[in-house]
Amino acid sequence: MKTVAVIFGGRSTEHDVSIVTALASIIKPLELTKQYKVEAIYIAKNGAWYWDEKLKDINLFSSGQIQDFLHKTQPTSVQFDGGMTLVKASGIAGRKTSRKIDVVFPAMHGTYGEDGSLMGLLRMAGVPFVGCDMDASVLAMDKVLAKQVAESSNIPVAKYECIYRDAFARKPADILRIVEKTLTYPLFVKPAHLGSSIGITRVTNVQELQNAIEVACHYDSKVIVEEEVANLIEVTLPILGNDQLKPALLEKPLTKPEDFFDFESKYMHGGKGGKKSGGKGTKGSQGYSELPAQLDAELYKKAEQTGLAVYRELGCNGIARIDMLIDNKTNIVYFNEVNPLPGGLYEHNWRAAGVSSVDLVQTLVRLAEERFQQQQQENTVFSTNYLQQF
Amino acid sequence: MRFFSYFTPSAPWAFVYMVQQFEYNPTKFLKWAVNFSDLRKAQNRGKLHITPRIKLMLVVAYLAYFASIIMIVSQALWHNAFFAIGGIIFVPFFCISVVYVVTVVLQKTIINPVQNREMLAAIQKLASSKALRIAVLGSYGKTTMKELLVTVISEARKIIATPGNKNILISQVRWVNNSTLGNEDVYVFEYGEAKPGDIAKLAHFSKPEIAIITGIAPAHMDAYPDLDSIVKDFASISSVVDASETYFNNQKLLKDNIKGSAYDIDGLGKWKVSNVSVSITGTDFTLSNGNDRLELRTGLLGMHQIGPITAVVVIAKKLGLSNQQIITGVSKTTPFEHRMHPRQLGGAWIIDDTYNGNVEGMRAGLELLKALSAKRKIYVTPGLVDQGTESENIHKQLGDLIAQAKPDKVVLMQNSVTSHIQAGLSAGNYDGEVTIENNPLEYYTNLEHFLAAGDLVMLQNDWPDSYR
């Protein structure tokens, strides 16, 4: 039986979301397959790694007992021995328990997890891992880079400006002037690397703009300011696959531009921040949404094709969710951003698309192994006589 | 671990629980006990219902358990340690024997005389009633038939039926004694058969004017040597009910042995069925007799429901119901919980048929699964309990039936009949996916994780954890 390590938590503002994704949407279905031995690896907010069966219990986290657990438990060592092995003290006569990992299932959102950092580490370790590879994760988690890649492939994006924290701190007035000159209100100000709508503000004047940039700079050294798309229909599309892509259903959050999801409305009130309208709303992991999005067939197809094109151009593998903005009058579909590890894997959407939670995690593990096999066939060693000169 | 579960302090509790599960039948309890089922699983899905009899049995069982342990420890301390170690094996056997003896003694000395008095009172109460009595018997489909009769006939007549699964003699006796029976037009009695002679006793008690035999299939084969003995039991109803008032499911074995009118998917006598349409939300058909024509729609699923509904329509007409009353009554029939009961789960359809416990019922469910369209079809079953010496053949037949229904995936709950179902699947050249689950409770409680929109899942029968 193969061992799959699910890594969650991490030094990220989305630490808590990651715990729910891991325990509810990944570990449980993986265990139900009865095909894998599933190991839970929790990365605490201070960056220490822990490996224990007890970490599979949501009550440990929801009750706050996790702090007591961390206090009493030795962090785990990770051994890179041509693969990846977990090592921890067994508590008996100084002996250690170890477990060789066959596949890693990252369940971390945001910085150090979803942004390519963990993927780089796993590539170095030579262990197959689920989801986007390092380069795609880096692109996906940088909203500016992702838009630049999309633009280079003639995929429409809303007009935007990139601001660096240092530059804004030095010359805020210059930055504000440039933004006002190139973009038209209303604008959205976002930290370039954060997900779950953290630090996002909608602004309609220069004072709000300045405040919003300051807030965003609090979370990130790179900030994106972009124009609001008129006559907006917001849609999102989860996609699965390496070479052969399988889109789930186009989903439309039932919100207006002025009450876009922030973290609070997305996760803290069961998604009730989104306005419920009509009878076709689905209360998924991200609150009320229309699933599938009720668009005319041509527009639906266009949005789906845009999502698939972005997935390919950014080099995504395994799974990702592509967020898009549609101008309902011009029918232009704008790429907005990519989420390389959708919260809860967006399993509600996959289920509606005909993929069960168990099938989803099994497919993702298979895709990880397939990509790893392909990478193993690439030649990374080149023999030369270079050293013999010395 | 299974063996060691017989030595734990929870063992006496489990023994008493199983006596209650076997309705205080000491023979069934003894057969189960010597089969060394896993006591840890015995109460996974049920609880001991505490009654004065159970309290007494618990006290005696624990006295036996601790007395035998004290005896062994005293042997070990003062006499022969080897003898004491050997004696440990004796603990569960002593405990089982005591529970068995207590069950028998209580039944003969206290329970039987009390029940005889209760029976006399119930017979007198029934004798004072003018209501028409309908008996419903058969290996399967009794509850559905009973509910059909009540739903349709209540459109015009006051009707009452034995509630829930009160289908053994003493439960019906108590129901009569405890109910405020009086001004009803019709009583419906559901007859349960567990051993030869049960039907005759029930018929002698309730003396029905009409009888409906819903079908015959291998069931309770631990008590009945063969199907002929079951049909003989069913045929005993003719000593009370006239052939002109007897209706039966058109199965060869019943037709050869029962005098009366047969019903099936084609109709009953001059009543003919046509225009049948089956969907996940119900069944439509036309029932006609010359110019008399009824367009019927029921919420019940499957073509196998048409025969029983036809029988109910014919009885309803005899009782004077109008066509409109019958059509309205039939339209109100909906699936009963755990019997071909459809429900949605995250965009998937689940047909819960977990109360189905015989191969004919399984056949009907599989025919429905085959008839309905779905993106992916999944069939889930543990097989059937109490199939006696025919168990292997029946489960091979079930495997073959599953293969014919062609579900995309078959999920079998691991137990003693799993290999027989697999053999039947192979014989039927089934080429879909087969998975074996060794923890049914975990599977059922996490069903949503296995399903997606467009799936159709048929759950047939449930297997008590106390069986192996």
Side-chain angles (χ1 to χ4, degrees):
Chain A
M1 188 180 275
K2 286 181 179 171
T3 301
V4 178
V6 180
I7 304 180
F8 60 99
R11 286 187 287 157
S12 159
T13 49
E14 296 166 85
H15 175 100
D16 295 354
V17 181
S18 162
I19 293 168
V20 177
T21 295
L23 302 193
S25 304
I26 299 174
I27 292 177
K28 185 75 182 173
L30 274 175
E31 290 193 318
L32 287 171
T33 66
K34 309 269 172 69
Q35 291 181 14
Y36 311 109
K37 172 85 181 91
V38 184
E39 301 295 351
I41 303 176
Y42 169 64
I43 303 179
K45 288 179 178 174
N46 65 1
W49 291 37
Y50 294 87
W51 163 42
D52 199 289
E53 277 296 298
K54 289 176 188 161
L55 293 165
K56 293 179 181 175
D57 184 2
I58 190 72
N59 293 324
L60 182 68
F61 298 94
S62 57
S63 65
Q65 290 170 13
I66 183 66
Q67 293 309 323
D68 191 39
F69 173 84
L70 298 181
H71 185 67
K72 291 176 182 168
T73 311
Q74 282 283 320
T76 294
S77 303
V78 184
Q79 198 168 289
F80 297 117
D81 48 3
M84 182 176 164
T85 303
L86 303 171
V87 184
K88 70 173 175 181
S90 68
I92 302 169
R95 288 182 179 274
K96 291 184 173 175
T97 305
S98 63
R99 173 84 63 196
K100 182 92 176 164
I101 301 302
D102 297 303
V103 180
V104 172
F105 203 131
M108 288 167 60
H109 301 298
T111 44
Y112 297 110
E114 203 177 1
D115 62 1
S117 308
L118 179 61
M119 290 72 195
L121 184 74
L122 298 172
R123 275 186 75 127
M124 287 291 290
V127 61
F129 58 91
V130 169
C132 291
D133 209 335
M134 180 186 70
D135 39 10
S137 299
V138 169
L139 288 177
M141 279 304 290
D142 187 320
K143 294 180 174 66
V144 178
L145 281 179
K147 281 185 196 289
Q148 286 168 346
V149 172
E151 276 181 303
S152 70
S153 305
N154 296 320
I155 296 167
V157 296
K159 279 183 76 178
Y160 66 94
E161 281 294 330
C162 172
I163 297 167
Y164 288 94
R165 182 163 56 198
D166 290 347
F168 185 71
R170 280 197 306 272
K171 294 180 180 175
D174 290 355
I175 300 285
L176 292 173
R177 191 161 46 255
I178 291 168
V179 171
E180 287 207 301
K181 192 176 173 184
T182 53
L183 304 178
T184 307
Y185 291 111
L187 301 171
F188 279 100
V189 181
K190 306 172 181 177
H193 297 100
L194 292 193
S196 297
S197 309
I198 292 167
I200 297 181
T201 315
R202 181 178 182 269
V203 298
T204 53
N205 59 53
V206 69
Q207 187 54 52
E208 287 177 359
L209 176 64
Q210 182 171 358
N211 292 343
I213 294 173
E214 284 170 3
V215 168
C217 284
H218 178 72
Y219 291 104
D220 204 336
S221 60
K222 192 174 178 183
V223 171
I224 184 170
V225 182
E226 59 190 11
E227 284 186 355
E228 180 180 289
V229 171
N231 313 303
L232 178 68
I233 301 174
E234 196 178 349
V235 291
T236 188
L237 180 68
I239 299 170
L240 192 66
N242 293 344
D243 302 321
Q244 300 289 320
L245 305 187
K246 178 182 174 61
L249 298 174
L250 209 58
E251 183 170 341
K252 179 177 153 189
L254 296 179
T255 55
K256 293 175 186 170
E258 61 271 23
D259 53 26
F260 66 91
F261 278 163
D262 57 8
F263 185 90
E264 189 81 352
S265 55
K266 255 184 178 175
Y267 298 112
M268 299 302 289
H269 306 298
K272 285 175 185 170
K275 298 276 187 288
K276 189 183 179 188
S277 64
K280 290 172 182 168
T282 298
K283 194 162 165 279
S285 65
Q286 304 261 352
Y288 287 103
S289 61
E290 191 178 79
L291 184 65
Q294 300 299 304
L295 305 176
D296 71 65
E298 197 178 330
L299 187 57
Y300 188 102
K301 190 78 184 164
K302 190 176 177 183
E304 192 179 76
Q305 291 303 321
T306 303
L308 291 168
V310 171
Y311 190 94
R312 283 197 192 91
E313 293 303 328
L314 290 176
C316 295
N317 293 131
I319 191 170
R321 197 194 74 210
I322 316 294
D323 295 350
M324 291 162 283
L325 309 168
I326 300 173
D327 183 328
N328 196 22
K329 281 196 177 159
T330 62
N331 279 1
I332 295 173
V333 180
Y334 297 92
F335 160 59
N336 187 28
E337 59 185 69
V338 182
N339 192 327
L341 183 74
L345 300 180
Y346 247 53
E347 60 180 348
H348 67 283
N349 189 316
W350 285 109
R351 198 176 291 132
V355 181
S356 72
S357 310
V358 165
D359 290 341
L360 180 62
V361 294
Q362 269 183 306
T363 305
L364 288 171
V365 171
R366 179 179 55 76
L367 289 170
E369 291 179 311
E370 282 176 10
R371 181 183 59 201
F372 185 73
Q373 289 300 323
Q374 284 175 3
Q375 288 173 341
Q376 293 305 99
Q377 289 165 14
E378 293 164 7
N379 195 357
T380 55
V381 180
F382 183 60
S383 298
T384 69
N385 295 325
Y386 178 69
L387 287 174
Q388 291 167 7
Q389 299 173 69
F390 301 97
Chain B
M1 288 308 290
R2 197 173 71 218
F3 178 73
F4 289 112
S5 68
Y6 273 63
F7 297 88
T8 63
S10 62
W13 188 282
F15 295 147
V16 175
Y17 170 76
M18 288 311 299
V19 168
Q20 194 173 54
Q21 285 296 297
F22 290 123
E23 293 166 350
Y24 304 97
N25 183 320
T27 313
K28 280 188 178 179
F29 165 70
L30 208 54
K31 277 185 184 172
W32 166 84
V34 297
N35 202 24
F36 278 105
S37 297
D38 192 340
L39 296 190
R40 292 169 303 164
K41 292 183 180 176
Q43 294 181 79
N44 271 6
R45 285 186 263 179
K47 276 187 176 176
L48 187 64
H49 181 57
I50 302 293
T51 62
R53 177 165 28 168
I54 287 295
K55 280 181 188 169
L56 180 61
M57 291 181 75
L58 280 173
V59 168
V60 174
Y62 273 102
L63 278 175
Y65 178 78
F66 287 115
S68 56
I69 287 176
I70 289 166
M71 194 175 74
I72 289 158
V73 170
S74 62
Q75 282 291 324
L77 290 175
W78 290 296
H79 300 289
N80 188 331
F82 289 106
F83 172 80
I85 292 165
I88 290 171
I89 303 290
F90 167 77
V91 173
F93 291 105
F94 181 62
C95 207
I96 289 166
S97 305
V98 167
V99 170
Y100 175 84
V101 169
V102 170
T103 307
V104 173
V105 169
L106 280 177
Q107 191 69 36
K108 289 195 183 300
T109 58
I110 300 175
I111 306 299
N112 284 351
V114 170
Q115 288 183 352
N116 286 341
R117 285 198 294 276
E118 288 178 298
M119 170 95 87
L120 202 60
I123 288 172
Q124 284 169 350
K125 192 171 178 182
L126 272 181
S128 65
S129 168
K130 302 281 184 203
L132 176 84
R133 295 167 208 178
I134 303 175
V136 177
L137 54 148
S139 306
Y140 58 90
K142 296 187 287 287
T143 306
T144 300
M145 177 58 82
K146 183 178 73 175
E147 297 298 334
L148 274 172
L149 286 164
V150 170
T151 308
V152 176
I153 292 171
S154 64
E155 285 298 307
R157 301 281 179 268
K158 283 189 178 174
I159 180 168
I160 189 167
T162 50
N165 57 357
K166 291 192 184 303
N167 61 11
I168 62 169
L169 185 57
I170 189 59
S171 61
Q172 296 200 351
V173 164
R174 285 174 186 160
W175 173 69
V176 170
N177 284 335
N178 299 331
S179 301
T180 51
L181 303 176
N183 60 349
E184 292 82 8
D185 302 310
V186 184
Y187 295 152
V188 181
F189 290 88
E190 179 185 328
Y191 288 2
E193 83 290 354
K195 59 183 185 301
D198 278 356
I199 297 298
K201 282 182 191 168
L202 284 157
H204 178 73
F205 165 67
S206 51
K207 295 188 174 55
E209 285 96 2
I210 296 175
I212 307 171
I213 304 164
T214 54
I216 184 162
H220 306 293
M221 298 308 281
D222 51 334
Y224 290 96
D226 49 34
L227 278 177
D228 287 334
S229 61
I230 300 177
V231 81
K232 194 177 165 190
D233 217 18
F234 291 166
S236 65
I237 194 76
S238 64
S239 63
V240 180
V241 182
D242 191 77
S244 63
E245 298 295 347
T246 302
Y247 303 89
F248 62 87
N249 190 1
N250 193 6
Q251 288 175 287
K252 188 174 183 312
L253 200 54
L254 291 178
K255 203 171 182 177
D256 292 346
N257 293 279
I258 308 286
K259 285 178 182 166
S261 306
Y263 64 80
D264 57 22
I265 189 170
D266 296 321
L268 191 164
K270 291 179 180 175
W271 287 94
K272 302 296 176 196
V273 173
S274 59
N275 304 327
V276 177
S277 162
V278 177
S279 74
I280 191 76
T281 55
T283 307
D284 298 84
F285 65 100
T286 303
L287 191 61
S288 50
N289 180 0
N291 292 330
D292 200 356
R293 186 180 169 93
L294 292 90
E295 302 289 345
L296 298 165
R297 158 104 189 149
T298 172
L300 299 175
L301 306 188
M303 302 223 280
H304 66 287
Q305 309 284 9
I306 292 171
I309 290 174
T310 301
V312 172
V313 170
V314 170
I315 291 169
K317 285 193 83 79
K318 276 190 177 179
L319 290 174
L321 271 74
S322 70
N323 281 4
Q324 191 50 52
Q325 285 169 331
I326 292 170
I327 289 167
T328 305
V330 171
S331 73
K332 289 179 181 173
T333 55
T334 52
F336 315 110
E337 199 159 18
H338 310 304
R339 290 182 175 87
M340 296 275 191
H341 186 201
R343 62 187 171 93
Q344 279 200 294
L345 184 67
W349 275 104
I350 296 170
I351 300 177
D352 178 356
D353 197 28
T354 49
Y355 275 11
N356 192 337
N358 65 83
V359 75
E360 288 307 316
M362 304 292 247
R363 185 196 302 276
L366 284 160
E367 280 172 3
L368 176 65
L369 186 68
K370 191 177 180 181
L372 297 173
S373 59
K375 202 168 171 182
R376 183 173 68 153
K377 296 181 187 178
I378 303 170
Y379 180 76
V380 184
T381 191
L384 298 157
V385 293
D386 282 347
Q387 299 302 300
T389 54
E390 282 299 298
S391 183
E392 183 172 342
N393 286 337
I394 286 165
H395 286 98
K396 282 181 177 170
Q397 190 189 345
L398 175 61
D400 191 45
L401 288 171
I402 298 169
Q404 288 170 37
K406 292 187 170 61
D408 299 284
K409 185 174 179 178
V410 175
V411 181
L412 302 176
M413 300 304 164
Q414 179 71 61
N415 56 49
S416 57
V417 304
T418 307
S419 59
H420 305 319
I421 301 175
Q422 285 179 294
L425 285 167
S426 297
N429 298 317
Y430 178 69
D431 58 359
E433 184 187 348
V434 180
T435 58
I436 313 292
E437 288 288 336
N438 53 20
N439 188 338
L441 197 56
E442 183 188 53
Y443 181 81
Y444 292 131
T445 51
N446 290 289
L447 196 55
E448 62 176 301
H449 289 286
F450 293 96
L451 305 183
D455 286 347
L456 173 63
V457 188
M458 174 71 76
L459 304 175
Q460 283 204 297
N461 197 28
D462 195 8
W463 185 286
D465 293 325
S466 46
Y467 283 85
R468 282 165 62 189

